Amino acid sequence: MLLHILARGKIGRSAEAELVERYLKRISWPTKLTELADGSRAAPELPPNSVSILLDERGTALSSTQLARKLEEWRDSGKREARFSIGAADGHGEAERSSAGLLLSFGPATWPHLLVRAMLAEQLFRATSILANHPYHREG
């Protein structure tokens, strides 16, 4: 299953970009990062048999283990792609939220988009590590 991060804006060359790249390279599953122009509302069409996950402050906060189990469930049900969408400054529209397979929250705080990319990449690495029984994750 492809782990696809769809993000608004260009990250350019920055410490955040290096951090995102570092975690994406460590993930053993296929990964892809697509950057969209800030003003663009058009996202690439979601392939059939895929799941859309929107990062949204009103979403569900999952532990790393819970996220791993979601990935496992989607992978084992034959999903081709898990698309994680980071919205623009105004977030996602109501139509996008209502059609998503999961609204995922990193808590009630407001996070800069560049940090959210790094946080998401790290959590995807952590979740896939959990599924591979890799010692990276240490349960509290």
Side-chain angles (χ1 to χ4, degrees):
M1 178 175 67
L2 173 67
L3 302 177
H4 187 177
I5 298 173
L6 195 67
R8 300 283 171 188
K10 302 286 184 190
I11 198 168
R13 292 182 164 200
S14 63
E16 296 89 353
E18 289 176 21
L19 192 55
V20 169
E21 189 61 31
R22 181 181 311 157
Y23 283 114
L24 291 180
K25 283 181 179 178
R26 295 170 77 182
I27 298 172
S28 61
W29 295 23
T31 61
K32 180 178 180 180
L33 173 63
T34 300
E35 294 182 323
L36 301 174
D38 276 327
S40 167
R41 289 304 265 172
E45 190 173 321
L46 190 67
N49 201 24
S50 297
V51 61
S52 173
I53 303 98
L54 302 185
L55 275 79
D56 190 289
E57 63 187 6
R58 293 172 276 184
T60 302
L62 298 178
S63 71
S64 299
T65 302
Q66 289 172 319
L67 179 58
R69 297 299 163 229
K70 282 284 189 191
L71 290 178
E72 181 178 50
E73 173 187 321
W74 294 325
R75 179 198 63 196
D76 292 352
S77 70
K79 298 292 184 205
R80 293 176 48 197
E81 179 180 317
R83 181 176 294 173
F84 294 83
S85 297
I86 301 169
D90 296 333
H92 300 285
E94 194 54 47
E96 290 175 288
R97 279 196 296 278
S98 64
S99 67
L102 174 66
L103 298 178
L104 178 63
S105 172
F106 283 158
T110 301
W111 296 100
H113 288 133
L114 298 182
L115 283 182
V116 170
R117 290 186 199 193
M119 293 164 59
L120 177 58
E122 191 282 336
Q123 282 300 292
L124 293 175
F125 171 63
R126 185 177 296 272
T128 56
S129 295
I130 289 169
L131 295 176
N133 294 315
H134 188 280
Y136 178 74
H137 178 70
R138 292 171 183 84
E139 196 77 35

